Amino acid sequence: VITEDEVQAMKGLTQGLWTQGDYDEFAKLTWGAAPALIEACGVGPGTKVLDVGAGNGNVAVCAARAGASVVASDLTPAQVARGSARTQAEKLDVEWIEADAEDLPFTDGRFDRVFTAFSAMYAPRPERVASELCRVVRDGGVVGMANWTPEGFLGTINSISEKHSPPLFNEAPTAGDWGIPEIAQARFGPHAKRIRTEIKTLVYNFDSVEAFWAFLRKTHGPLIVAHEYLEADVIRAMVAEIDELFVERNRSQDGRFVVDVDYLLIVAEVP
Ligand SMILES: C[S@@+](CC[C@H](N)C(=O)[O-])C[C@H]1O[C@@H](n2cnc3c(N)ncnc32)[C@H](O)[C@@H]1O
């Protein structure tokens, strides 16, 4: 059982991780899940949408472009700043707010659709997350969630990073469980009448493995923070293991870096 102090420490760390780097660039790697969630859950003009852990707003942007009235939220103030600049520049109907997925500052049933992509999976208390996401959706509404699968490319990078990091350096040691269909079903079970899951795949395509590393070093907050805080030999071992994974999963034959990135799409219908 984690203590309240540990929970607060993890959330402080999470905010630090996602403040660093260039999330506007990194979000190009998560974009594909946004239209998939919108399509799977159904969003149209006037749909009231909440995006939880919105980052710089991929799902929020996708929903607003479909005509929805959107509230986007994230634990990290820097992400809220990036996202609101993005949606203002696009003149989209999105209101931004700082919020924790475990304690959403909204009344029961306020939204038609609640989404979270690669975000609420990192909150330390998964049962609270499932309950909060379902609480703020109206009767008959839908919660859509996207989570890296533990054996997939991103899920494996997360486990390698966790293995090399001190426990409190991890955002949530059990994040990978959210990518397992049976566990996701069990977590939403008490709050939903029907839960569908599907493994989907994004494809990353870079000029080379080195180009992908350069992209990550520039954009990915957690990797940048790891370089600042972990001992040099720990970082070296971690990077070497991740690099092996890149070579092993690369399906390009011509020097490019092309990799499949699996995630679990969850659609939970609230009674
Ligand atoms: C990998 S990013 C994903 C962002 C975006 N949804 C996307 O698809 O690109 C993870 C985000 O989750 C947010 N996050 C982590 N823990 C959270 C929590 N407990 N409540 C809300 N947001 C959280 C982080 O601040 C970060 O912006």
Side-chain angles (χ1 to χ4, degrees), residues 118-247:
F118 316 117
S119 297
M121 65 180 289
Y122 295 111
R125 291 170 294 196
E127 281 74 21
R128 279 201 198 191
V129 167
S131 141
E132 275 298 270
L133 297 173
C134 293
R135 179 183 67 75
V136 299
V137 92
R138 68 162 162 80
D139 293 352
V142 180
V143 174
M145 189 172 191
N147 301 320
W148 305 122
T149 59
E151 311 291 322
F153 180 69
L154 245 300
T156 307
I157 294 179
N158 282 344
S159 0
I160 296 172
S161 314
E162 280 163 20
K163 196 178 78 182
H164 290 277
S165 313
L168 272 181
F169 196 81
N170 297 319
E171 282 186 89
T174 57
D177 289 352
W178 265 120
I180 298 170
E182 297 71 28
I183 295 182
Q185 294 261 358
R187 287 174 178 170
F188 280 116
H191 315 285
K193 64 174 181 206
R194 202 159 83 98
I195 305 153
R196 284 181 284 137
T197 61
E198 186 188 347
I199 294 186
K200 310 268 286 180
T201 306
L202 305 172
V203 178
Y204 297 171
N205 191 333
F206 283 78
D207 288 343
S208 61
V209 169
E210 294 70 34
F212 185 56
W213 269 118
F215 178 87
L216 289 181
R217 290 205 170 95
K218 184 163 96 51
T219 63
H220 192 245
L223 185 68
I224 292 167
V225 175
H227 276 84
E228 282 168 18
Y229 285 96
L230 300 182
E231 300 287 339
D233 55 336
V234 174
I235 277 287
R236 256 195 307 277
M238 184 175 101
V239 166
E241 206 173 323
I242 293 176
D243 196 60
E244 265 174 43
L245 177 80
F246 289 0
V247 173

Side-chain angles (χ1 to χ4, degrees), residues 11 14-15 18 23 26-27 30-31 33 51-59 73-76 79 99-102 116-120 122-124 129 148 171 220:
K11 289 184 182 171
T14 295
Q15 291 174 323
W18 296 107
Y23 201 81
F26 186 80
T30 58
W31 170 258
D51 185 1
V52 174
N56 73 332
N58 276 353
V59 177
S73 62
D74 198 281
L75 183 69
T76 305
Q79 293 284 57
D100 182 348
E102 292 186 348
T116 183
F118 316 117
S119 297
Y122 295 111
V129 167
W148 305 122
E171 282 186 89
H220 192 245

